[in-house]
């Protein structure tokens, strides 16, 4: 069951990749208006592949559920892949409302990155500790992820808007920040590339080090240590000697991963720039020339309108019900909860600015980008960095 | 202040921008705009009309969406700041030491700024309160005028109103059959069609306009529920420790409820049985599968007479587990934690040289006897007992608490050859003999522990408001987000057919709908006046 499950996930991943190529084909081969009925043959194949991929991933989800005996949304790998799946699902729904393949060209790469990122985490099926043994938890996590995924579609649409609306002929603050967004996406790819490379090589090196309470501890790196742990001693023969040693307060291993990913991201980005000979956003501009600005603006807003209630229900209301059952209090101000609140407040502000202050178009698109950054922060940083502060585990 | 009478005969309240009935522009400033600001239908809102007294000023401040958004943004940033370091409630050391020790100067600063208890701070609560006030005032400011304006609207609209709608078009060619077709199409699209003087107003989804107000009411009720907590008696939150086999009074129940803990159970996953998890368990070491206390809940019957044992009547036999609290009459008892306490220690009176034992004694650590008779002339007196032993300030032995965390004893060992007895001080891992050369010793034989279940007893009488608020909020957001309010006017003006349309959101969808409505007619699709402008700009 477990092998079937992971094969299905792999098939889905490949299908998403191929579908993305077809979305690209659909845009470049098209002449004339895009936002009218016509999805051309390339586009139809792309959507079909996306749907098959989605079904395959659904198969992964169900088989893994059967194998584990609980919904597979209980660790980073499972949750993040589910988020990727929800993203694809949300795109399919929005596609059938608005019939634009261009959205696929921007959404699918994000979904692919999310799933690739997910597979960098341990993939074993984990048992549930008592607090997690609640169907409310599963309802909460899945609904929240679906809500976030729908909100993320607004990011994809916002990105299309910005690529189209921003004048790339001269450098400005806007081109800079849009390029920062592009660079961040490339860096995720960098992280995936560098992690898979070192894990493919089977790289390991062990340290003993002194933590901030003065205790000696063991630590294992899976990438060569550029930043070594506090008073770290390299135990592995022929291991890489750290370039700098970090104070005990800083998690040297995580920092090391971040540095490697940034380097990989920079190199990838550099290569892309050399090939394209212009900003990534500028290179994408021809792809979006046929779409109307107010059309993508509406898709972006509509996704927020659809996603916000789902997110509220999943990330706040169901979360409160679960917390009430498990911890006897529906709200406890733990970082994860607070960041759900932050996300929610942000989108509330977004909707008010739009409805009452008339923040349409570009301003709205930037807000959609910021919203996605907050969602990703909640997914990545709060789990790995902030929550990690409480537990002093070195990994 | 005077009401304003429009040329159509409708009397509008002072401050009205667009006549409630026919839509004629009443406000001079608004006339300059090519496209009308249709928010709140140009109705007279208190905040836009009065600005004299201090009450007006406060009202206007809180009714402004700009202020509301600022409040939301500030709350958002403040909330995020509170997650940088763990909050005070999650640490188990005194905060004045903890933050600096763990996080250096930054931690110290964090503590000095009061961020250690951010969500309980007065200014954070003030922010939330201001959002609450703002919600009430801004809703009142808008909802009544909006309601009146939507109710009073007539089908036939003023030219200036139609012309300045965002979606607008003129047809010189008039064909009465077209009206029939349009009406049919509109009805198919679920519009409510009203007709007057041959003019058409088609409207749908008006109820979605109340969505924001409904959701704000939900939020207000929710916040009200949060406030109820501060009312004494509304909120009970107590810890309750019950050892296995014992019955304890459940606090804050008016001495009514008693809880007996029959057994505490702790289970781990077994990597041989739970094969699917084998790898993960090996990685993690041990993973807990279940925390459970088998309990019986009792109700006291009859009067509570001090000093007398209460008469109890069992009401519920339950297995309290995490996620499965025991609930009864508004009280919930949650499995929260557990510990094992020392229960008894066993010693043997032993001859130091021969190692011969003259009998064993088991000391109940919470209720020790003063003399243990071992028979044959051997006995042990317990002179002093320190359940939680430490050396006091003056070097004297003393006890920190009555909980047997670290028991210590002073024994007098009586034997036939030594009827006066020898004194010995015994604590964990140490023995002191005041006289220096005893014949006998108390040798340690064993220890018994007992599990103590930690429960949280909670009663939250504000929960209904929280739940109600949540439900109303959800209804409101869905109402406002999944539907929108669309109106299409098809009217005869100057021998032409004018078509105008308005929606509160999703213009693209509206325009597509108009296209379907106008198929099979000779009417032109009206244009989006804002879109034309934008396209002009793009060409330039
Ligand atoms: C956390 C707090 C709040 C939440 C979650 C919230 C939620 C919402 C939502 C979902 C909408 C509908 C927006 C749309 O459909 O695009 C809305 C509209 C609105 N909200 Fe709030 N709101 C909050 C606080 C406030 C505050 C403090 C004010 C006061 C100034 C306010 C004033 C308004 C107004 C005026 C509207 C538009 C109503 C209309 O145009 O008919 N909201 N709100």
């Amino acid at each position: 069951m477990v092998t079937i499950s992971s094969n299905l996930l792999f098939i889905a991943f490949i299908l998403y990749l191929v579908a993305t190529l077809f979305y690209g084909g659909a845009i470049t081969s098209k002449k004339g208006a895009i936002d009218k009925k016509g999805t051309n043959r390339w586009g139809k194949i792309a959507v079909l592949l996306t749907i098959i991929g989605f079904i395959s991933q659904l198969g992964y989800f169900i088989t893994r559920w059967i194998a584990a005996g609980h919904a597979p949304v209980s660790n980073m790998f499972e949750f993040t892949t589910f988020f990727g799946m929800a993203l694809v699902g949300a795109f399919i729904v929005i596609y059938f409302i608005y019939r634009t393949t261009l959205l696929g060209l921007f959404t699918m790469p994000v979904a692919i990155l999310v799933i690739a990122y997910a597979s960098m985490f341990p993939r074993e099926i984990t048992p549930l500790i008592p607090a997690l043994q609640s169907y409310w938890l599963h309802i909460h996590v899945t609904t929240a992820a679906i809500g976030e995924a729908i909100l993320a579609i607004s990011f994809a649409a916002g990105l299309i808007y910005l690529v189209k609306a921003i004048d790339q002929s001269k450098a400005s603050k806007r081109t800079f920040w849009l390029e920062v967004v592009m660079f961040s996406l490339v860096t995720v790819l960098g992280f995936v590339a560098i992690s898979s490379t070192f894990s493919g090589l089977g790289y390991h090196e062990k340290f003993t080090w002194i933590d901030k309470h003065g205790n000696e501890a063991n630590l294992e790196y899976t990438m060569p240590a550029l930043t070594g742990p506090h008073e770290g001693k390299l135990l592995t023969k022929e291991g890489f000697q750290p370039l700098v040693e970090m104070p005990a307060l800083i998690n040297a291993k995580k920092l090391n991963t971040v540095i490697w990913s940034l380097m990989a991201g920079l190199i990838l980005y550099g290569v892309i720039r050399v090939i394209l000979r212009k900003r990534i956003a500028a290179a994408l501009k021809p792809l979006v020339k046929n779409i109307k600005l107010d059309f993508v603006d509406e898709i972006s807003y509509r996704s927020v309108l659809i996603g916000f209630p789902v997110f509220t229900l999943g990330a706040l209301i169901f979360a409160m019900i679960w917390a009430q059952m498990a911890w006897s209090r529906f709200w406890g101000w733990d970082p994860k909860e607070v960041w759900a609140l932050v996300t929610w407040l942000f989108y509330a502000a977004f909707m008010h600015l739009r409805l009452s202050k008339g923040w349409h178009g570009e301003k709205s698109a930037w807000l959609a980008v910021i919203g996605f950054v907050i969602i990703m922060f909640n997914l990545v940083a709060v789990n790995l960095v902030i929550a990690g502060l409480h537990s002093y585990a070195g990994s | 202040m005077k009401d304003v009478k429009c040329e159509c005969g409708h009397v509008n309240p002072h401050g009205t921008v667009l006549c409630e009935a026919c839509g004629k522009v009443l406000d001079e400033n608004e006339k300059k705009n090519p496209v009308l600001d249709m928010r709140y239908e140009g109705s007279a809102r208190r905040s836009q009309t009065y600005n004299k007294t201090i009450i007006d000023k406060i009202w206007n401040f809180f009714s402004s969406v700009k202020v509301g958004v600022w409040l939301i943004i500030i709350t958002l940033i403040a909330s995020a700041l509170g997650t940088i370091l763990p909050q005070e409630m999650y640490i188990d050391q005194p905060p004045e030491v903890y933050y600096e020790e763990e996080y250096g100067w930054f931690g110290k600063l964090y503590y000095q700024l009061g961020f250690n208890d951010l969500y309980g701070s007065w200014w954070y609560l003030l922010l939330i309160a201001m959002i609450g006030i703002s919600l009430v005032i801004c809703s009142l400011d808008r909802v009544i005028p909006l309601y009146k304006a939507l109710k009073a609207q007539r089908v036939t609209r003023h030219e200036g109103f139609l012309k300045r709608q965002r979606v607008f078009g003129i047809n010189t060619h008039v064909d009465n059959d077209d009206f029939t077709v349009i009406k049919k199409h509109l009805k198919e699209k679920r519009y409510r069609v009203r007709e007057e003087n041959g003019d058409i107003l088609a409207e749908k989804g008006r109820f979605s306009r109340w969505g924001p107000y409904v959701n704000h009411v939900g939020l207000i009720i929710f916040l009200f529920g949060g406030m109820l907590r501060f009312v004494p008696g509304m909120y009970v939150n107590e810890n309750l420790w019950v050892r296995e086999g014992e019955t304890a009074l459940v606090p804050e129940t008016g001495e009514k409820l008693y809880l007996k803990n029959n057994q505490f159970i702790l289970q781990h996953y077994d990597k041989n049985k739970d094969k699917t998890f084998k790898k993960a368990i090996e990685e993690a070491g041990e993973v807990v599968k279940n925390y459970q206390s088998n309990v019986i809940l009792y109700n006291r019957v009859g009067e509570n007479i001090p000093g007398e044992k209460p008469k109890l009547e069992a009401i519920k036999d339950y297995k309290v587990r995490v996620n499965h609290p025991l609930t009864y009459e508004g009280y919930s008892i949650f499995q929260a934690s557990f510990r094992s306490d020392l229960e008894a220690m066993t010693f043997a009176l032993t001859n130091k040289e021969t190692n011969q034992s003259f009998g064993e004694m088991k000391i109940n650590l919470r209720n020790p006897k003063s003399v243990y008779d071992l028979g044959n002339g051997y006995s042990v007196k317990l002179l002093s007992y320190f359940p939680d032993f430490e050396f006091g300030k003056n070097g004297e032995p003393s006890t920190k608490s009555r909980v047997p965390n670290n028991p210590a004893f002073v024994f007098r060992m009586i034997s036939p050859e030594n009827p006066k007895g020898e004194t010995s001080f015994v604590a964990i891992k140490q023995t002191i003999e005041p006289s220096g050369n005893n014949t006998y010793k108390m040798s340690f034989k064993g220890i018994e522990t007992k599990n103590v279940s930690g429960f949280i007893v909670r009663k939250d009488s504000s929960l209904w408001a929280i739940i109600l608020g949540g439900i109303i909020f959800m209804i409101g957001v869905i109402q406002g987000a999944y539907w929108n309010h669309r109106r299409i006017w098809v009217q005869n003006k100057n021998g032409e057919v004018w078509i105008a349309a308005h929606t509160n959101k999703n213009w693209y969808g509206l325009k597509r709908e108009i296209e379907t409505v106008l198929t099979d007619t000779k009417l032109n699709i009206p244009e989006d006046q804002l879109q034309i402008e934008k396209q002009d700009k793009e060409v330039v």
Side-chain angles (χ1 to χ4, degrees), chain A residues 13 16 83-85 87-88 106-116:
Chain A
F13 185 76
Y16 294 158
F83 176 64
M85 180 166 93
L87 199 54
V88 176
F106 279 75
T107 311
M108 295 308 285
V110 178
I112 291 168
L113 276 181
V114 166
I115 297 173

Side-chain angles (χ1 to χ4, degrees), chain B residues 126-182:
Chain B
L126 186 69
L127 272 174
I128 307 273
M130 281 171 68
I131 289 184
I133 296 170
S134 178
L135 275 167
V136 174
I137 294 185
C138 84
S139 302
L140 287 179
D141 190 53
R142 290 166 171 81
V143 73
I144 299 163
L146 180 64
Y147 176 77
K148 282 196 192 147
L150 285 175
K151 212 173 155 178
Q153 62 176 329
R154 290 198 193 132
V155 175
T156 304
R157 284 285 166 137
H158 193 269
E159 284 177 20
F161 176 86
L162 296 175
K163 224 189 284 180
R164 289 204 192 76
Q165 289 301 317
R166 183 171 152 183
V167 174
F168 176 67
I170 294 181
N171 296 278
T172 43
H173 175 89
V174 185
D175 184 341
N176 270 335
D177 291 345
D178 284 351
F179 272 76
T180 332
V181 176
I182 292 177

Side-chain angles (χ1 to χ4, degrees), chain A residues 301 344 352, chain B residues 64-65 134-135 138 142 213 215-216 219 505:
Chain A
Y301 180 41
W344 183 73
H352 285 102
Chain B
S64 146
V65 175
S134 178
L135 275 167
C138 84
R142 290 166 171 81
Y213 305 99
N215 88 41
H216 291 168
L219 282 177
K505 52 183 72 148

Side-chain angles (χ1 to χ4, degrees), chain B residues 439-477:
Chain B
T439 329
Y440 291 93
K441 68 172 183 189
M442 299 298 291
S443 62
F444 174 73
K445 283 291 172 205
I447 204 155
E448 258 174 48
T449 59
K450 207 151 224 188
N451 288 324
V452 191
S453 296
F455 299 102
I456 287 179
V457 179
R458 185 146 328 200
K459 182 177 162 187
D460 193 343
S461 310
S462 63
L463 224 48
W464 63 270
I466 303 282
I467 295 170
L468 184 70
I471 293 174
I472 295 181
F473 177 81
M474 274 319 295
I475 294 175
V477 251

